Amino acid sequence: MSQEQLLRDGAQQLGIELTDRQGERLLAYGALILKWNKVYNLTALRDPAAVLTHHLLDSLSVIKPLQRERSTEAKLLDVGAGAGLPGVVIAILRDDIDVTCLDAVAKKTAFVQQVASELGLRNLRGLHARVESLTGSYDVISSRAFASLPDFITGSAHLLASGGIWLAMKGRAPDDEIAQLPAQAAVFHVEQLSVPGLDAERCIVWMRKPTA
């Protein structure tokens, strides 16, 4: 089966009907990851099939949950985005969301900038900085295996807009990390995910600032 068909079938299992343009952009993004990987070591994965399941479909699994939590336009900060996961995938699927992929490694944010340019994604940018030193305000702050939940919250709490939410992609539910969360964050949902072709536990930990 072709990569395109695998992507479409996987997306369909996640409840997503990809447009031709979205499908083309996702496959082009996967190809760019593999191309840049040869020189810049963006991710540990070198195999197209693994990039499809572990990166593209894994990131696509947050799209429907994010639509439920934020159905209108928003500013999203993807912390420790690396090669732009899940931020680039969110930018491709949701042109109403302004996505900033933040990473402390310059070559990774340069890659995201290149992706934005090559794929014509006006709502995407790569930003080279440390989250602690950043200023601004974001409606959604996401991360994918970036750090422990307490570190993620401590580093980014000053950037969360009023009424904003944190979206943390994790493997199995991190009960120990949840128990150690600082007072700035309260979990309102731990959502189990099932990623097509990926035989591993995945979940989203949704958090917000506690109401006084």
Side-chain angles (χ1 to χ4, degrees):
M1 197 181 293
S2 69
Q3 290 275 297
E4 180 184 5
Q5 197 56 52
L6 286 167
L7 177 64
R8 285 191 176 281
D9 288 355
Q12 212 158 24
Q13 289 176 54
L14 293 166
I16 301 166
E17 286 291 343
L18 292 175
T19 66
D20 289 346
R21 188 163 174 73
Q22 288 168 344
E24 286 164 10
R25 281 173 157 173
L26 287 167
L27 291 172
Y29 172 45
L32 283 169
I33 290 175
L34 289 164
K35 179 182 169 185
W36 275 55
N37 241 357
K38 292 173 184 167
V39 180
Y40 290 105
N41 196 27
L42 295 172
T43 83
L45 300 179
R46 297 285 186 273
D47 175 53
V51 167
L52 184 72
T53 52
H54 290 66
H55 287 340
L56 299 183
L57 290 175
D58 190 45
S59 294
L60 276 171
S61 70
V62 308
I63 295 297
K64 292 290 277 191
L66 180 60
Q67 177 71 28
R68 182 193 66 233
E69 298 295 337
R70 275 291 179 278
S71 60
T72 55
E73 63 183 51
K75 284 181 67 179
L76 182 145
L77 179 70
D78 191 21
V79 179
L85 299 152
V88 172
V89 172
I90 292 170
I92 289 171
L93 271 286
R94 293 281 305 271
D95 55 16
D96 62 327
I97 293 183
D98 181 47
V99 177
T100 298
C101 287
L102 178 76
D103 205 276
V105 179
K107 66 184 178 184
K108 293 181 176 178
T109 55
F111 171 71
V112 172
Q113 284 290 102
Q114 185 66 25
V115 170
S117 172
E118 286 202 27
L119 302 188
L121 294 166
R122 293 197 196 94
N123 60 328
L124 173 69
R125 71 177 183 134
L127 182 62
H128 175 224
R130 300 196 67 82
V131 66
E132 299 84 2
S133 63
L134 201 61
T135 57
S137 177
Y138 297 87
D139 306 298
V140 183
I141 301 180
S142 64
S143 74
R144 177 178 181 260
F146 158 65
S148 71
L149 290 179
D151 287 349
F152 173 47
I153 298 301
T154 303
S156 64
H158 66 290
L159 299 168
L160 193 69
S162 174
I165 50 174
W166 282 285
L167 182 176
M169 295 181 73
K170 289 285 184 177
R172 65 174 57 219
D175 297 331
D176 292 353
E177 293 179 23
I178 290 171
Q180 294 164 17
L181 276 173
Q184 296 119 302
V187 175
F188 65 89
H189 186 27
V190 178
E191 183 165 1
Q192 299 300 322
L193 300 173
S194 178
V195 180
L198 193 61
D199 184 24
E201 288 186 67
R202 304 294 285 145
C203 73
I204 298 173
V205 181
W206 293 102
M207 296 162 286
R208 59 167 68 104
K209 290 182 180 177
T211 47

